[in-house]
Amino acid sequence: MTEHRADIFISGGGIAGQVSAAAFAAAGFSVVMADPFVPVTTANEDKSDLRSTAFLRPARQLFDRVGLWPHLKDHAKPLDQLAVIDTTGWPPEVRDRRVFRSDDMGDEPFGWNLMNWVVRREIWAYLQNQPLITPLYGTGFRSMVQRTGEIIVTLTNGDRVRARMGIAADGKFSPLREAAGLTVSTTRYGQKSLAFTVTHDLPHGNISTEIYNEGGPFTIVPLPDMDGKPASAIVWMNKGPRAVELMNMDVAEFEDVMFQRSTGLLGRMHLEGNRSVWPIITQTADQLVAGRVAVVAEAAHALPPIGAQGLNTSLNDVIALLELAEADPSALGDPAMMKAYDAARAPDIARRARAIDLFNRVTRSGDGVMQTVRLLGLKAVHDVAPMRKRVMRAGLGPH
């Protein structure tokens, strides 16, 4: 048995845990990060995360600040515009199209899209050489004792970690959150999303596109070219049974259905690699702190994949916690700091969860009245300039 001592213990070595470790180490805090699984860093392994993330401006600023962006920028595709297409029926018939432009909000793109497995690979390599970080992959959280000035964590291999603060970044079913006694509220929609990568005939022009229809949006997010061909990441939301049907469909039939669902926007789309399927829920922690433990990312909130809010909201948690720690390093994990973190993040998380829940209910509906509401809402948000800018500013986050 080894006993580790650190300022911070992080449970979870996914993207949120990795970024948390990098950020706190860059601020001078020592970190032990534990995850029961070795990271999957190729696209073709069964457990590879084939989703992509459009990292918005606050996330990019964080990556710059802690030294991660040089490792990620060559794999990123800027997002200059967001197009929203409203369709009805099958094959989908286009009723309206609106484009939101990043230059409405300044000189930079809305965000930069990267494949999740690539992000994990690049940050994993970065973490290996950071003296303040002890990454323990293949070893997970088992139990915890909270004391007045520290937490004592036991890992699955028998090691112990003594730390001033714990961060639960270990997903929807967070064992550290559960050990801290924090509860969650969950909404289920009966939906699943498919995530996969395609090449296509026509260039995407750095435009991210959401195509609404019954079941949820079909989202096309630009990627760098693959073998000289334009490429995009797709997130396709559907009712659960339809998603499973699409997941198991042979490739030729799947590509035909995908061509119809995309309204032929980018020509024929060709599946590259595997498909993965993910359940759609809204889940929020009823509190964000307990003693010296704070929850972040999907341990704090799991949201439907709409508007690039999921992982970006997660990184806003990390930013808020980091800023509080930097403001008074001697008070790391103390009650006042933990209370301030809950106060800083809980209202924003609640607002985003409510907004995305409502948006998902409207965009997935096949009901004629709801589809009319969807169309009118799209026109109102886009066509009134102050409202358009307010919505885009809210989407980018609090920083």
Side-chain angles (χ1 to χ4, degrees):
M1 182 194 81
T2 302
E3 182 163 294
H4 306 271
R5 290 184 176 270
D7 294 316
I8 298 165
F9 168 72
I10 299 173
S11 179
I15 293 175
Q18 290 178 319
V19 173
S20 297
F24 279 95
F29 296 97
S30 58
V31 177
V32 171
M33 181 182 68
D35 192 288
F37 302 105
V38 175
V40 177
T41 56
T42 67
N44 296 322
E45 295 180 56
D46 287 342
K47 293 184 179 179
S48 181
D49 187 347
L50 300 178
R51 296 171 295 179
S52 70
T53 297
F55 290 99
L56 303 179
R57 292 176 188 175
R60 157 67 193 276
Q61 291 163 4
L62 175 63
F63 292 158
D64 266 331
R65 176 179 167 189
V66 305
L68 292 176
W69 188 241
H71 302 271
L72 299 174
K73 63 181 181 180
D74 290 343
H75 306 284
K77 195 68 177 175
L79 305 177
D80 297 323
Q81 299 178 46
L82 170 62
V84 178
I85 299 175
D86 189 70
T87 73
T88 58
W90 191 269
E93 178 182 341
V94 176
R95 296 195 301 175
D96 198 22
R97 182 176 188 268
R98 292 290 191 273
V99 178
F100 298 83
R101 298 175 55 91
S102 62
D103 54 14
D104 264 1
M105 300 294 297
D107 297 331
E108 287 192 310
F110 284 125
W112 294 261
N113 197 54
L114 293 104
M115 295 301 297
N116 285 6
W117 69 267
V118 172
V119 175
R120 292 198 68 177
R121 181 191 68 195
E122 295 301 312
I123 302 181
W124 178 79
Y126 170 86
L127 295 181
Q128 307 311 303
N129 300 313
Q130 302 308 306
L132 289 177
I133 301 173
T134 303
L136 301 176
Y137 282 103
T139 301
F141 169 86
R142 175 180 287 166
S143 63
M144 175 187 64
V145 175
Q146 293 230 41
R147 292 185 172 174
T148 302
E150 66 176 358
I151 60 171
I152 303 172
V153 172
T154 301
L155 303 178
T156 52
N157 67 352
D159 286 4
R160 291 203 308 177
V161 183
R162 304 176 79 105
R164 297 164 61 199
M165 184 176 74
I167 298 176
D170 43 4
K172 299 183 187 75
F173 308 106
S174 167
L176 179 53
R177 181 190 65 212
E178 183 175 338
L182 294 168
T183 57
V184 297
S185 300
T186 304
T187 301
R188 304 184 188 279
Y189 304 99
Q191 291 170 286
K192 297 181 185 295
S193 68
L194 291 177
F196 51 93
T197 301
V198 297
T199 54
H200 37 83
D201 296 341
L202 303 176
H204 47 58
N206 292 353
I207 302 173
S208 182
T209 304
E210 295 184 357
I211 305 174
Y212 300 150
N213 197 278
E214 183 177 355
F218 182 98
T219 303
I220 306 169
V221 187
L223 291 175
D225 289 356
M226 297 176 62
D227 298 325
K229 301 173 186 175
S232 295
I234 308 295
V235 175
W236 185 357
M237 292 173 59
N238 276 287
K239 296 176 180 177
R242 178 57 169 164
V244 173
E245 180 184 357
L246 290 164
M247 180 73 179
N248 296 323
M249 197 174 281
D250 71 73
V251 172
E253 183 180 2
F254 181 77
E255 290 182 345
D256 286 341
V257 176
M258 181 168 50
F259 176 75
Q260 291 180 300
R261 182 63 180 82
S262 67
T263 69
L265 180 71
L266 298 176
R268 297 291 300 188
M269 291 182 162
H270 310 283
L271 182 66
E272 301 288 343
N274 300 326
R275 289 161 274 187
S276 60
V277 64
W278 303 83
I280 303 299
I281 65 171
T282 293
Q283 177 178 284
T284 54
D286 298 321
Q287 289 181 285
L288 300 180
V289 299
R292 289 183 167 270
V293 173
V295 293
V296 302
E298 287 198 334
H301 46 78
L303 307 174
I306 294 173
Q309 292 304 297
L311 192 47
N312 286 281
T313 303
S314 299
L315 296 186
N316 287 335
D317 301 340
V318 176
I319 292 167
L321 199 57
L322 176 66
E323 289 179 348
L324 288 166
E326 287 182 312
D328 187 359
S330 66
L332 182 72
D334 287 355
M337 175 187 165
M338 305 307 271
K339 183 179 179 180
Y341 170 66
D342 188 86
R345 293 300 302 140
D348 180 64
I349 291 168
R351 282 193 299 269
R352 289 176 193 277
R354 286 194 300 268
I356 294 171
D357 173 84
L358 176 61
F359 194 75
N360 183 40
R361 293 179 188 277
V362 172
T363 59
R364 71 176 179 160
S365 177
D367 178 77
V369 173
M370 293 295 280
Q371 290 185 344
T372 298
V373 169
R374 185 176 72 204
L375 179 61
L376 292 174
L378 171 61
K379 290 179 176 179
V381 167
H382 179 273
D383 294 350
V384 179
M387 182 180 292
R388 181 175 70 245
K389 292 181 180 180
R390 187 161 59 247
V391 168
M392 288 192 291
R393 191 174 295 112
L396 287 175
H399 283 65

